[in-house]
């Protein structure tokens, strides 16, 4: 036996010191490999819509209701809805149900029997060890007895009844129901994929991230809005300016001030001073939720909106100038303005400006910040960098996130694979070398991590921060997917032809199965069995668009969680399920409120579409984790052989 192999086996023998222990672990691993594959749940483009997100997360995109139907086929729809709502929101729903009960003990007994039976069903595809680890510590022993005991018939019923009666008598029924409900929620979904964009538009991205940080198993593919916030937290002034501008535009400054404790007072005071007499007509914020604001509040937010927008345009110019490889010279728009005539020259044509009041712009040096603007940005940057809660959320995104992921034969990324018109991969030069396809994704991720983790004095940090901004707005960015971002034009030019942002050829070519297979092959996946799963562009189902592209090779699951998209999408989002039987696309109708869901049991109306059915039920052995377990089992068999042939001696357990 080779010395290197023997050295490795000596290390392995420390964990498995005897033939008996080694053989037992091999048997355990091979048993796990034959279990059904766990359910994967895919969400994308949540955009701060916490209530809808929480409902979909807790109901497993309808999985829990289907499990209830499987276990209790004779329950009415009303009874099914009540039991499902109890599982989703056990604390709140219990109080409402108990208030209606004349005999709480009977209710507890009946409910506990149902929840135990449901929990037995959803836990049946997992090992006892995995279920045990998922159990709340306070009730682990009792739960294990109830879920795994082997009595039959009358003995089983008596055994259950005695335990349940003791739980009720000891006034622990309420806590036990909550524990069972949360265990069911946890077991119906084995792993969660978030395919980007938690931030912006909606009001509570912070609450979504808090919930994700508590989730048992997940990964995250960064979206363009997430990267923008990550850039702001990393110290990018231009990313920060974009974050504040978007928050002002959608009347969502509370996320900065209330959720993250970032003071906007310096910006407000500066905006009042510089734009106090300016109506800021083009910068009136969008009130898509119809919330009540006073005229004075709207006026001040409009001033702040304009102030930070001008700062943003100023900050963009120098980045574009120092990176000719970004090919963004046409976006240095401040120098294209004729301040005397109040016009701007875009692509060779003159356009009148809707707003020509620029008190902070130096005509001779339009990208220089005034001292007051520098002071505002300095204070905002300090607030972003020193916000502990934001730092925790961003560190979580780096720990669990990536630009792309290959998982169980599927490719996950948020936006697109930038393509040329001929279908070849679009290249971008970074640090003097061209990258395209998968290599470009790898470089983007490397630089995004450098932007956050390199110290501020490091010479490479500025470059990395510039690339993070490019990810937000650049033509070869996989997170943007358009030729240019026409932010300036949307504010200052009436002609909507100037607002158009040409989509990357990817968005037409993704309907071509051959292109999808080309992409899968580029990322090392089986093009026949694999799928691409992404979001970023809302699927306009109301206009006849389908989320299924490339003859089923690509699934676009951004149907529009954000309320702002509902008019154009005609629905409130897609999610995806991938279990041992295949892929199922779930289409969701708009969610009302959590209070309605709890009181009226109004679950999100969802419909499923089977995308692909496995001819043979997938097992753990067919997954990426299965490959790792097979390798572990092979190594242990090698160790077992070494024991039996005398290359290693068993260690004494005495």
């Amino acid at each position: 036996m080779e010395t290197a192999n023997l050295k490795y086996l000596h290390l392995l023998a420390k964990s498995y010191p005897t033939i008996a222990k080694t053989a037992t672990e091999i048997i355990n691993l091979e048993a796990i490999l034959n279990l059904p594959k766990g359910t994967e749940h895919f969400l994308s483009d949540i955009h701060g819509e916490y209530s809808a997100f929480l409902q979909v997360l807790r109901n497993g995109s309808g999985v829990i209701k289907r499990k209830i139907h499987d276990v209790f086929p004779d329950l009415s729809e009303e009874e099914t809805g009540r039991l499902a709502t109890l599982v989703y929101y056990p604390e709140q729903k219990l109080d409402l149900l108990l208030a209606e009960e004349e005999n709480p003990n009977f209710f507890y007994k009946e409910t506990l029997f149902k929840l135990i039976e449901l929990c037995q069903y959803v836990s049946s595809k997992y090992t006892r060890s995995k279920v045990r680890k998922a159990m709340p510590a306070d009730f682990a022993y009792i739960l294990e007895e109830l879920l795994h005991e082997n009595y039959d018939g009358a003995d089983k019923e008596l055994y259950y009844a005695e335990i349940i009666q003791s739980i009720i008598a000891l006034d622990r029924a309420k806590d036990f129901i909550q524990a069972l409900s949360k265990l069911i929620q946890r077991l119906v979904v084995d792993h969660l994929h978030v395919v980007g964009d938690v931030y912006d538009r909606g009001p509570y991205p912070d609450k979504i991230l808090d919930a994700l940080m508590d989730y048992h198993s997940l990964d995250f593919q960064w979206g363009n809005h997430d990267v923008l916030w990550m850039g702001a937290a990393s110290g990018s002034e231009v990313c920060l300016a974009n974050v504040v501008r978007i928050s002002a535009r959608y009347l969502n400054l509370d996320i900065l001030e209330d959720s993250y404790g970032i003071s906007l007072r310096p910006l407000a005071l500066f905006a009042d001073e510089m734009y106090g007499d300016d109506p800021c007509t083009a910068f009136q914020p969008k009130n898509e939720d119809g919330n009540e604001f006073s005229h004075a509040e709207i006026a001040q937010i409009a001033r702040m909106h304009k102030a930070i927008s001008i700062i943003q345009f100023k900050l963009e110019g120098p980045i574009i100038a120092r990176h000719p490889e970004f090919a963004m010279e046409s976006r240095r728009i401040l120098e294209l303005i004729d301040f005397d005539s109040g016009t701007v020259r875009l692509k060779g044509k003159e356009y009148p400006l809707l707003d020509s009041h620029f008190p902070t712009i130096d005509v001779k040096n339009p990208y220089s910040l005034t001292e007051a603007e520098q002071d505002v940005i300095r204070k905002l940057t300090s607030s972003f960098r020193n916000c502990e809660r934001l730092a925790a959320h961003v560190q979580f995104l780096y720990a669990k996130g990536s630009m792309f992921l290959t998982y169980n034969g599927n490719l996950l990324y948020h936006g697109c694979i930038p393509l040329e018109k001929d279908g070849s991969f679009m290249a971008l030069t970074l640090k003097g070398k061209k990258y395209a396809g998968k290599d470009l994704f790898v470089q983007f991720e490397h630089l995004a991590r450098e932007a956050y983790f390199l110290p501020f004095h490091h010479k490479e940090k500025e470059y990395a921060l510039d690339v993070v901004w490019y990810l937000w707005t650049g033509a070869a960015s996989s997170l943007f997917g358009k030729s240019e971002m026409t932010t300036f034009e949307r504010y200052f030019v009436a002609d909507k032809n100037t607002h158009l942002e040409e989509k990357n050829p990817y968005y037409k070519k993704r309907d071509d199965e051959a292109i999808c297979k080309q992409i899968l092959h580029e990322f090392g996946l089986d093009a026949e069995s694999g799928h691409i799963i992404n979001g970023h562009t809302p699927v306009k189902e109301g206009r006849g668009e389908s989320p299924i592209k490339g003859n089923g090779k690509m699934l676009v699951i951004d149907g529009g969680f954000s309320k702002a998209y509902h008019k154009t999408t005609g629905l409130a989002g897609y999610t995806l399920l991938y279990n041992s039987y295949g892929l199922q696309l779930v289409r969701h109708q708009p969610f009302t409120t959590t209070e309605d869901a709890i009181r009226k049991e109004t679950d999100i109306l969802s419909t499923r579409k089977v995308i692909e059915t496995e001819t043979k039920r997938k097992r753990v052995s067919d997954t990426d984790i299965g490959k790792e377990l097979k390798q572990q089992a092979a190594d242990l068999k090698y160790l077992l052989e070494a024991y039996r042939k005398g290359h290693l001696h068993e260690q004494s357990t005495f």
Side-chain angles (χ1 to χ4, degrees), residues 43-50 53 194-210 212 220-227 229 260 393 396-397 414:
L43 307 179
S44 176
D45 297 270
I46 304 161
H47 283 301
E49 297 294 345
Y50 175 68
F53 156 78
V194 182
V195 194
D197 273 359
V198 160
Y199 278 104
D200 292 332
R201 305 303 290 259
Y204 300 118
D206 57 314
K207 291 184 179 180
I208 293 169
L209 282 162
D210 286 342
L212 292 175
F220 196 110
Q221 289 72 60
W222 302 324
N224 52 320
H225 289 269
D226 305 316
V227 161
W229 280 75
Y260 286 123
H393 288 162
F396 167 77
L397 290 175
H414 176 71

Side-chain angles (χ1 to χ4, degrees), residues 445-457:
E445 179 167 338
H446 176 71
L447 289 164
R449 293 186 184 280
E450 282 193 347
Y452 186 76
F453 291 105
L454 285 178
F456 271 83
H457 63 271

Side-chain angles (χ1 to χ4, degrees), residues 164-324:
I164 289 171
Q165 191 55 47
S166 296
I167 292 169
I168 295 170
L170 293 170
D171 196 26
R172 296 288 281 162
K174 193 172 180 180
D175 293 329
F176 196 66
I177 286 172
Q178 292 175 12
L180 268 170
S181 297
K182 290 176 181 178
L183 181 58
I184 291 165
Q185 283 184 39
R186 179 163 179 170
L187 293 175
V188 294
V189 171
D190 190 47
H191 188 82
L192 176 68
H193 304 281
V194 182
V195 194
D197 273 359
V198 160
Y199 278 104
D200 292 332
R201 305 303 290 259
Y204 300 118
D206 57 314
K207 291 184 179 180
I208 293 169
L209 282 162
D210 286 342
L212 292 175
M213 288 171 74
D214 285 336
Y215 202 77
H216 58 276
S217 179
L218 62 78
D219 54 67
F220 196 110
Q221 289 72 60
W222 302 324
N224 52 320
H225 289 269
D226 305 316
V227 161
L228 192 64
W229 280 75
M230 291 158 64
S234 301
S236 168
E237 294 178 349
V238 70
C239 287
L240 180 156
N242 273 277
V243 163
V244 177
R245 177 184 62 79
I246 293 168
S247 297
R249 182 175 176 83
Y250 292 100
L251 285 175
N252 201 14
L253 293 174
D254 287 351
I255 181 63
L256 294 168
E257 295 188 297
D258 297 341
S259 300
Y260 286 123
I262 293 170
S263 174
L264 296 177
R265 180 173 170 79
L267 176 62
L269 292 174
F270 168 77
D272 287 347
E273 180 181 353
M274 299 309 303
Y275 302 99
D277 297 327
D278 187 338
C280 299
T281 305
F283 294 88
Q284 295 300 301
K286 295 178 181 290
N287 190 1
E288 292 169 333
D289 290 336
N291 296 322
E292 290 188 11
F293 290 88
S294 69
H295 176 74
E297 287 175 310
I298 292 294
Q300 184 175 58
I301 292 172
R303 292 192 291 271
M304 294 167 68
H305 187 186
K306 182 174 181 179
I308 198 65
S309 297
I310 299 300
I311 290 173
Q312 175 191 313
F313 300 139
K314 287 185 175 185
L315 292 169
E316 288 173 347
I319 298 176
I320 295 168
R322 63 177 173 257
H323 292 289

